[in-house]
Amino acid sequence: MKTKQNQGLFDCSRRDFVKVAGLGAAAMAIPGLIRNASAAPASGISQEVITTDVLIVGGGIAATFAAIKAKKNGVDVTIVDKGTVGRSGLSPFFGSFRMFKESSSITREQYIEAVSKAGNYLNRRDYLEMYMDDSADIAEEFLSWGVGEQLRGGHGSTYRGQIIKNDIRLIERTMITELFKKNGKIAGAIGFPMEEDRAVIIKAKAVVLCSGSGALKTPGFPCNNITHDGDAMSYRIGAEITGKEFCDFHWTHWEDPGDMYGNWERHSFNAISPGVHTLSSGRRPQARSMALQAHNGNIPFFMRGRSGGSGERPSGTPTGGDTGERPDAAGGVRRAPAGVRSLDLPIVWGSTAGMSSHKCEGIFPKGNKCSSSIPGLFAAGDALFTGGATYSSGGSSASGSAVQGARAGRYAAEYVKENKQQNISDSELAQSKERIFAPRTSEKGFSPIWVTQVLQGIMVPYYVINIKKQIRLEAALSNVEFLREQFAPNLLANDTHQLRLAHETRNMLLNSEMKLRAGLMRTETRGDHYREDYPDTDDKNWLAWIIITKDGDNMKLTRRAIPGAWKPQR
Ligand SMILES: Cc1cc2nc3c(=O)[nH]c(=O)nc-3n(C[C@H](O)[C@H](O)[C@H](O)COP(=O)(O)OP(=O)(O)OC[C@H]3O[C@@H](n4cnc5c(N)ncnc54)[C@H](O)[C@@H]3O)c2cc1C
């Protein structure tokens, strides 16, 4: 791992190290060099080999449905979750679960047009059709798990219960870090558990990535354990990634920004209410207007949002969360319940910085069977791009993940019945193990926590990730490239928890680079991508996705036009 170029960086005396460690807050400006007292060669690290038909990576609603459906289709299934099922990813936190049912108030055609318009025509219509076909049945199945009664206490525990009930092999607190590809097809994956230095090798005929999306470990949304690992792993073996320029605009509170329950009461303690979702967003989501107002100096923003634009309290409706008093079913007024923040308090940006809007980023589906460009590699939920340029159908993110998970599980089972296990040689396994444990086996290196903090400083400001301009994107990109070259190969982990942080940091760096490059390439404004220097939507050139692939050591971005039949009818 140590190149000639970076050997000098490691040349740090013990006294220098103590000085750096003792600098406290000022250390932000100085490389977080650390030493590893327990460094040992990777060859001495034990390994466990598991063989299965279908490996599901993740433990949210997509993974749970994928595993159940694959198992019901007669194949052996293993789920691996980085955290504990029901407590990790975004799934434990959603509050509305929608489905489509054709009715006199909305026809199938009207729904397709409304969602496509809201998604700025970049949504995958084939997956919208899948959602419309399956969501009612999936909602019924979900409710049959008893989630209705569990909502106020959180429905996460339901997933675990279903996995165990269906006798599915479950491995928790284990991070998958690399996928194996052999003869052009998927062959399995490798990772490690949080508690000890051990490689977990899973030989599988098919892998379903239900690893969710990711962010930059910002406060606000509880998204700290997801870091775009699925995108990163599949990009590294050649899969197509897309949607990185569409940046989520969720907010948080300026006091205790991590107080998710106080700030997001509506999402946490709502009831599941299957029903047709009514669409209101147009081609330019209101969400963006708040960042623009901040940019123009109209601050602060209040939880109540719009109040007539008096200058003292500028207009703008926060995305999600409590937006003020609302009429209740009995004809009265509903206020935020006790323990929930006053709606008159100010809010701040960046609760999900580094994330795209739900389902607007991830693996680009090849065809309509949740498959990627690599045979045997499937994806579902937030790990799969299907949404478009903005969150085009509120409440369909959770149910859409469930629908896609169920389909992906079924398709993966069908695939394994026709494809044999690809062989991974011992030397390939040894090399992979060497790469994964490099931060544990090095003696000196950089703290992943420090690198993440520096990355947050570069990426999180609203004027980088939300309100974009060429010069600022280029400046951020040059900084991210520097972090990638200088620090990413030399991260150090004193224990397996830090090993996880090291891999997460690498993945966040990769995701940031994708976001900046895609943001630069799309020279227009569309959905949740706003370019200050290109404020207009350019349908002539940009009814297209940006496809990101690995080209040797370079990141390649290609424009791919949407099918003619999906273009807006003018
Ligand atoms: C506060 C909040 C409110 C929300 N409100 C709504 C709502 O009202 N309606 C709605 O439709 N949607 C809502 N959403 C979004 C919704 O929760 C998600 O779209 C959905 O849960 C995604 O499900 P998923 O299974 O695809 O991913 P996730 O639930 O994010 O699961 C990803 C899983 O992958 C695991 N994982 C990640 N990387 C690895 C790795 N390397 N190795 C092993 N495992 C890994 C994680 O531990 C996690 O278990 C909300 C989200 C939040 C946070």
Side-chain angles (χ1 to χ4, degrees):
M1 291 299 295
K2 293 176 196 171
T3 62
K4 210 169 181 185
Q5 185 197 10
N6 65 35
Q7 254 163 8
L9 289 167
F10 282 102
D11 236 352
C12 166
S13 72
R14 189 167 175 76
R15 183 182 296 170
D16 288 341
F17 168 67
V18 171
K19 253 194 270 173
V20 169
L23 281 174
M28 274 296 285
I30 298 168
L33 271 170
I34 49 174
R35 278 175 191 270
N36 189 0
S38 56
S43 56
I45 291 172
S46 68
Q47 66 183 50
E48 177 189 3
V49 181
I50 294 162
T51 304
T52 190
D53 289 327
V54 178
L55 165 65
I56 315 251
V57 183
I61 193 165
T64 307
F65 269 98
I68 291 171
K69 298 298 172 186
K71 177 95 184 189
K72 289 213 160 116
N73 275 276
V75 297
D76 185 74
V77 182
T78 303
I79 292 193
V80 180
D81 189 358
K82 184 159 76 165
T84 303
V85 170
R87 292 186 183 168
S88 54
L90 302 192
S91 290
F93 305 101
F94 64 78
S96 69
F97 188 99
R98 301 285 181 171
M99 64 179 179
F100 175 79
K101 256 189 188 167
E102 192 160 11
S103 70
S104 53
S105 61
I106 189 153
T107 65
R108 229 180 134 88
E109 290 67 35
Q110 285 168 333
Y111 192 78
I112 290 174
E113 178 49 29
V115 176
S116 303
K117 186 176 175 201
N120 288 250
Y121 299 97
L122 299 192
N123 59 310
R124 284 287 299 247
R125 261 186 219 201
D126 38 0
Y127 286 82
L128 178 59
E129 299 258 6
M130 179 193 284
Y131 173 78
M132 294 163 77
D133 290 342
D134 292 6
S135 57
D137 289 343
I138 288 288
E140 205 172 302
E141 189 170 343
F142 192 45
L143 282 172
S144 77
W145 296 356
V147 286
E149 286 125 53
Q150 292 173 351
L151 270 177
R152 280 172 191 276
H155 44 90
S157 57
T158 313
Y159 309 135
R160 200 162 195 284
Q162 289 297 318
I163 291 166
I164 289 163
K165 188 174 153 201
N166 283 281
D167 204 17
I168 293 161
R169 188 181 299 114
L170 172 63
I171 302 172
E172 293 177 288
R173 294 182 56 74
T174 297
M175 179 180 189
I176 297 293
T177 40
E178 281 189 14
L179 298 171
F180 295 122
K181 187 172 82 168
K182 204 69 209 281
N183 304 318
K185 294 181 174 178
I186 207 77
I190 184 168
F192 61 91
M194 295 302 116
E195 281 76 19
E196 58 179 311
D197 284 319
R198 175 164 52 90
V200 177
I201 293 158
I202 299 164
K203 296 183 177 176
K205 294 175 194 152
V207 173
V208 186
L209 286 176
C210 300
S211 41
S213 52
L216 289 165
K217 295 184 183 272
T218 50
F221 253 40
C223 47
N224 280 356
N225 100 310
I226 43 168
T227 45
H228 294 107
D229 302 349
D231 289 354
M233 288 188 276
S234 37
Y235 167 84
R236 290 185 186 116
I237 60 161
E240 295 182 339
I241 308 294
T242 195
K244 291 294 171 184
E245 66 274 37
F246 305 118
C247 298
D248 190 83
F249 280 76
H250 277 97
W251 53 270
T252 187
H253 197 265
W254 77 353
E255 261 178 29
D256 304 327
D259 178 9
M260 134 89 190
Y261 293 102
N263 298 336
W264 286 89
E265 164 270 337
R266 245 178 85 208
H267 276 88
S268 307
F269 300 121
N270 209 338
I272 284 192
S273 52
V276 176
H277 182 65
T278 45
L279 295 148
S280 55
S281 42
R283 298 192 69 191
R284 290 198 170 191
Q286 245 192 345
R288 207 172 57 212
S289 74
M290 290 187 71
L292 272 171
Q293 285 179 54
H295 195 51
N296 295 327
N298 290 329
I299 48 174
F301 295 105
F302 295 86
M303 289 184 86
R304 189 186 295 273
R306 185 180 291 279
S307 70
S310 65
E312 184 191 328
R313 188 179 289 177
S315 64
T317 307
T319 57
D322 271 295
T323 53
E325 295 169 343
R326 296 184 294 278
D328 65 19
V333 172
R334 183 185 185 279
R335 294 170 205 280
V340 173
R341 293 201 182 273
S342 156
L343 303 178
D344 290 321
L345 292 170
I347 57 173
V348 292
W349 216 252
S351 109
T352 54
M355 187 186 282
S356 289
S357 307
H358 299 317
K359 302 216 166 12
C360 298
E361 68 181 329
I363 291 172
F364 187 74
K366 184 168 183 189
N368 60 0
K369 291 195 160 183
C370 300
S371 35
S372 68
S373 47
I374 296 169
L377 179 63
F378 298 81
D382 283 6
L384 185 70
F385 167 89
T386 52
T390 189
Y391 188 17
S392 50
S393 175
S396 71
S397 194
S399 52
S401 295
V403 164
Q404 291 170 7
R407 286 277 194 127
R410 205 177 87 206
Y411 295 140
E414 285 168 10
Y415 175 89
V416 304
K417 287 175 186 166
E418 287 170 11
N419 288 274
K420 61 178 178 33
Q421 173 70 50
Q422 299 297 316
N423 185 39
I424 319 160
S425 70
D426 287 347
S427 69
E428 283 164 321
L429 290 179
Q431 282 166 24
S432 180
K433 209 166 132 184
E434 191 91 17
R435 279 192 300 272
I436 289 175
F437 285 97
R440 286 287 293 125
T441 54
S442 302
E443 279 181 14
K444 293 181 272 184
F446 297 96
S447 156
I449 298 169
W450 175 77
V451 177
T452 292
Q453 285 173 340
V454 176
L455 180 63
Q456 288 167 334
I458 296 165
M459 292 296 290
V460 174
Y462 81 87
Y463 53 82
V464 175
I465 214 162
N466 292 111
I467 305 297
K468 303 173 203 173
K469 194 174 183 183
Q470 181 175 344
I471 191 168
R472 296 196 293 268
L473 290 169
E474 284 172 349
L477 180 59
S478 129
N479 273 283
V480 168
E481 281 174 340
F482 178 78
L483 296 189
R484 192 238 293 144
E485 283 161 22
Q486 296 290 341
F487 303 126
N490 304 309
L491 293 171
L492 188 131
N494 280 322
D495 55 28
T496 39
H497 174 68
Q498 288 191 24
L499 182 61
R500 166 180 161 167
L501 296 181
H503 286 284
E504 291 183 337
T505 301
R506 275 183 72 217
N507 294 346
M508 288 187 286
L509 273 167
L510 180 65
N511 180 59
S512 299
E513 185 172 345
M514 288 179 181
K515 287 204 159 302
L516 295 169
R517 288 192 188 281
L520 272 165
M521 183 169 175
R522 188 175 286 279
T523 46
E524 64 153 356
T525 287
R526 181 180 297 272
D528 287 347
H529 166 73
Y530 181 80
R531 282 286 298 258
E532 196 179 359
D533 42 356
Y534 295 94
D536 296 322
T537 300
D538 176 3
D539 278 354
K540 187 165 170 278
N541 295 301
W542 280 111
L543 280 169
W545 299 291
I546 293 175
I547 307 293
I548 305 177
T549 47
K550 190 170 183 309
D551 185 17
D553 285 339
N554 296 321
M555 192 178 279
K556 189 169 139 195
L557 283 80
T558 320
R559 183 190 320 219
R560 185 174 298 165
I562 64 167
W566 295 2
K567 291 188 174 163
Q569 307 298 316
R570 305 240 186 259

